[in-house]
Amino acid sequence: DTGVSQDPRHKITKRGQNVTFRCDPISEHNRLYWYRQTLGQGPEFLTYFQNEAQLEKSRLLSDRFSAERPKGSFSTLEIQRTEQGDSAMYLCASSFTLSTTDTQYFGPGTRLTVL
Amino acid sequence: DQQVKQNSPSLSVQEGRISILNCDYTNSMFDYFLWYKKYPAEGPTFLISISSIKDKNEDGRFTVFLNKSAKHLSLHIVPSQPGDSAVYFCAASAATSGTYKYIFGTGTRLKVLA
């Protein structure tokens, strides 16, 4: 099965450290999305790529966050100088868009805990 | 500003009966709606979707209804099974406005009792 994969599944870090997450989308999917989910909430959009171009970023994505998709395949999300408020589940999704009905398929997520 | 709302945090249903999960939205630009199911420690799993040009879409035990005038959608699960116990999220997007991000509700926890 070649669903969306994310690595690592869990990350515990100390405040002030940098962390990087990786997402591998379903092959041939041209769009890749990052969301963040906290307890009791639905996923919140962070950013998305079409191929290697980052087309939209949420205001939630502060300057400490950066995302890349250098070759239009896998993507990385880096958080610099982590804060306790960054603790959340980070979800990646991908889609193959032929029309406006863009169905996103999610990976298992990376659970970040900042101590 | 909660553009997508799921006002029932939880729902319990007997096995074999119908489960009805509701979702309201405020943005009239939304044109594509989806339901996802989520188990603990897993990512959301796509269940069913509906475009704003339709008012009903069915897939096996799952049916989604869209009432555009009321800005309301619902998910019907018939018959409900214990394996359906999970958190259900509705999501919406406004793709014809040029944005493909999803806006999610806060979820409804469904418990199907055997």
Side-chain angles (χ1 to χ4, degrees), chain A residues 9 31 33 35 37 40-43 45 48 56 91 100-108, chain B residues 32 34 36 38 41-44 46 49 51 89 95-96 98-102 104-106:
Chain A
R9 293 291 306 275
R31 289 202 175 127
Y33 303 78
Y35 291 82
Q37 185 175 20
Q41 301 296 315
F45 171 78
Y48 94 91
E56 189 172 350
L91 294 163
T100 55
T101 55
D102 175 286
T103 300
Q104 297 172 27
Y105 295 89
F106 283 81
Chain B
Y32 190 50
L34 310 94
Y36 285 84
K38 189 177 184 302
E42 293 184 13
F46 169 69
S49 62
S51 165
F89 291 96
T96 50
T99 177
Y100 297 92
K101 67 185 179 189
Y102 288 176
F104 283 85
T106 52

Side-chain angles (χ1 to χ4, degrees), chain B residues 29-31 94-99:
Chain B
M29 299 301 292
F30 287 149
D31 53 20
T96 50
S97 301
T99 177

Side-chain angles (χ1 to χ4, degrees), chain A residues 9-62:
Chain A
R9 293 291 306 275
H10 304 274
K11 178 72 178 177
I12 299 174
T13 191
K14 292 183 179 177
R15 190 177 53 181
Q17 298 293 305
N18 299 343
V19 293
T20 300
F21 311 140
R22 177 180 170 122
C23 171
D24 287 89
I26 295 169
S27 59
E28 299 174 0
H29 276 195
N30 58 339
R31 289 202 175 127
L32 187 148
Y33 303 78
W34 287 98
Y35 291 82
R36 180 173 70 185
Q37 185 175 20
T38 53
L39 199 61
Q41 301 296 315
E44 293 177 292
F45 171 78
L46 292 177
T47 189
Y48 94 91
F49 295 83
Q50 179 157 313
N51 301 312
E52 62 274 9
Q54 188 173 19
L55 295 187
E56 189 172 350
K57 295 198 308 188
S58 163
R59 283 168 290 182
L60 289 175
L61 214 65
S62 76

